[in-house]
Amino acid sequence: MSTVAVVGSLNIDLVIRAPHCPHKGETVIGGAFGMAGGGKGSNQALAAARLSAKSHIIGCVGSDDFGRKIKSALTENGVDCSHLQTRKEAPTGTAVITVTDEGENSIVISQGANSLLDDGAMTGAMNVFESSDAALFQMESPPKTVAAGLRLSRQHGCMTFLSAEPPFSLPNEVWKNIDYLILNERALGFYASHKQHKSISEMAHEILKRGVRCLAVTQSAKGGMIFVNGGEDFSFDAFSIRAVDNTGARDAFCAGFCVALCEGMPLKRAAKFASACGALACTKMGAHPSMPWRHQVSALLGEAHGDDYEL
Ligand code: RIB
């Protein structure tokens, strides 16, 4: 069994289905309302556990009902919460999410306690990094903490993963501490310094030159591309599914990619595994509820690739 340390955000998601996302100044009459566990860190930790990794979350919630709700959901799913801080200074993070009838979303976050995750929490989690195969980060925690966490987890022998969403400027020293960087096209454009007239491949290789070992660019229904420092680039397909809600799909992809590589799957198979995880996460409303289980991923890969596809 592989062990994954996830450093990141925990939110309660307040979700409303609507015919379209509101434009400036517009009020939209929506449909069903739902509340679910979310936050990129908590989604990835939950997904890693459901994909049968030993999963740890390192993050902060407030001392409130939302915080208790997320903590118990993670614990019930087997996520180790011994490095989840409960803080009195700020409420639990909240996300307000609009999901359209096509399954697309737009998200506004109130970071709350997530902004209290500091370097001290990274030092305090050293024993977790020491015993983990990989450490997985996103950008809903303070960038300084992410930088410190990447450095420390790398020093303690973890493979490091950064899902750099939402994109924020990062200190230069960070790039060389990233083994696997996962970006969507928007984030790729943000991080590449010379964007004009550059192809995805040119922007990706520019980022690899900063010291990143491997870059995955996700492209939703188009699948994605993998760029390897000094290796062969390749693309991977998306699975064809009926999207109900794509909230958390990239989190499921990241957790799947990380777990697959920790288990020693070759890169191409890991990308396919991750793509299946992302597809399954689009088939249900809500982030936590849609994080896929290992048997569902195996079934999707088995159906799509025939019996000779071994996991
Ligand atoms: O990636 C999806 C997540 O982004 C949601 O669960 C929301 O909480 C925001 O963090």
Side-chain angles (χ1 to χ4, degrees), residues 9-13 36-44 94-97 105 107-109 140 165-166 246-251 286-288:
S9 60
L10 304 98
N11 296 331
I12 282 290
D13 292 348
K40 298 189 195 311
S42 113
N43 295 341
Q44 293 178 17
T94 311
V96 175
I97 305 182
N105 67 35
I107 305 179
V108 181
I109 295 167
E140 286 178 353
E165 178 69 21
N246 65 10
T247 309
R250 289 190 69 254
D251 299 326
H288 273 197

Side-chain angles (χ1 to χ4, degrees), residues 272-307:
K272 205 171 265 183
F273 183 88
S275 179
C277 294
L280 286 164
C282 296
T283 59
K284 261 193 187 169
M285 274 301 274
H288 273 197
S290 71
M291 291 300 112
W293 293 87
R294 182 65 177 242
H295 67 88
Q296 296 174 314
V297 181
S298 304
L300 180 58
L301 288 168
E303 272 170 33
H305 300 282
D307 290 337

Side-chain angles (χ1 to χ4, degrees), residues 210-234:
R210 298 176 196 166
V212 174
R213 193 168 134 203
C214 174
L215 167 60
V217 179
T218 58
Q219 297 173 291
S220 306
K222 286 192 278 172
M225 297 177 82
I226 305 279
F227 301 92
V228 185
N229 214 334
E232 192 196 331
D233 305 337
F234 64 91

Side-chain angles (χ1 to χ4, degrees), residues 52-301:
S52 67
K54 189 163 190 290
S55 171
H56 297 264
I57 180 80
I58 299 148
C60 296
V61 289
S63 173
D64 49 30
D65 280 350
F66 280 1
R68 284 185 282 278
K69 227 178 168 57
I70 302 178
K71 188 172 180 179
S72 71
L74 292 177
T75 308
E76 275 163 27
N77 279 273
V79 177
D80 181 298
C81 291
S82 47
H83 287 265
L84 176 60
Q85 301 175 21
T86 301
R87 303 286 291 259
K88 290 209 165 67
E89 309 94 296
T92 298
T94 311
V96 175
I97 305 182
T98 310
V99 179
T100 68
D101 294 338
E102 289 74 42
E104 299 295 330
N105 67 35
S106 64
I107 305 179
V108 181
I109 295 167
S110 170
Q111 279 197 298
N114 293 308
S115 63
L116 302 175
L117 191 71
D118 59 12
D119 296 19
M122 300 300 97
T123 327
M126 253 164 7
N127 64 328
V128 178
F129 294 142
E130 261 163 22
S131 62
S132 296
D133 300 295
L136 182 49
F137 299 80
Q138 324 77 37
M139 293 300 296
E140 286 178 353
S141 307
K144 203 168 149 283
T145 308
V146 172
L150 282 163
R151 188 179 61 248
L152 274 176
S153 56
R154 177 57 100 61
Q155 278 166 6
H156 286 83
C158 289
M159 273 194 281
T160 55
F161 291 73
L162 174 64
S163 162
E165 178 69 21
F168 273 105
S169 294
L170 284 164
N172 279 340
E173 55 132 342
V174 164
W175 304 105
K176 65 176 189 330
N177 290 324
I178 304 170
D179 289 312
Y180 297 93
L181 177 65
I182 302 155
L183 301 175
N184 60 18
E185 287 180 77
R186 196 170 53 92
L188 176 69
F190 175 88
Y191 288 112
S193 54
H194 306 291
K195 298 157 203 151
Q196 277 166 357
H197 313 302
K198 293 260 175 179
S199 66
I200 288 182
S201 166
E202 285 167 324
M203 288 191 279
H205 281 279
E206 184 200 314
I207 288 173
L208 288 184
K209 279 194 197 120
R210 298 176 196 166
V212 174
R213 193 168 134 203
C214 174
L215 167 60
V217 179
T218 58
Q219 297 173 291
S220 306
K222 286 192 278 172
M225 297 177 82
I226 305 279
F227 301 92
V228 185
N229 214 334
E232 192 196 331
D233 305 337
F234 64 91
S235 56
F236 61 87
D237 295 329
F239 286 79
S240 169
I241 40 100
R242 201 180 75 79
V244 172
D245 174 11
N246 65 10
T247 309
R250 289 190 69 254
D251 299 326
F253 177 96
C254 295
F257 197 45
C258 177
V259 170
L261 289 166
C262 285
E263 289 181 7
M265 283 187 211
L267 201 50
K268 280 193 181 162
R269 195 192 281 188
K272 205 171 265 183
F273 183 88
S275 179
C277 294
L280 286 164
C282 296
T283 59
K284 261 193 187 169
M285 274 301 274
H288 273 197
S290 71
M291 291 300 112
W293 293 87
R294 182 65 177 242
H295 67 88
Q296 296 174 314
V297 181
S298 304
L300 180 58
L301 288 168

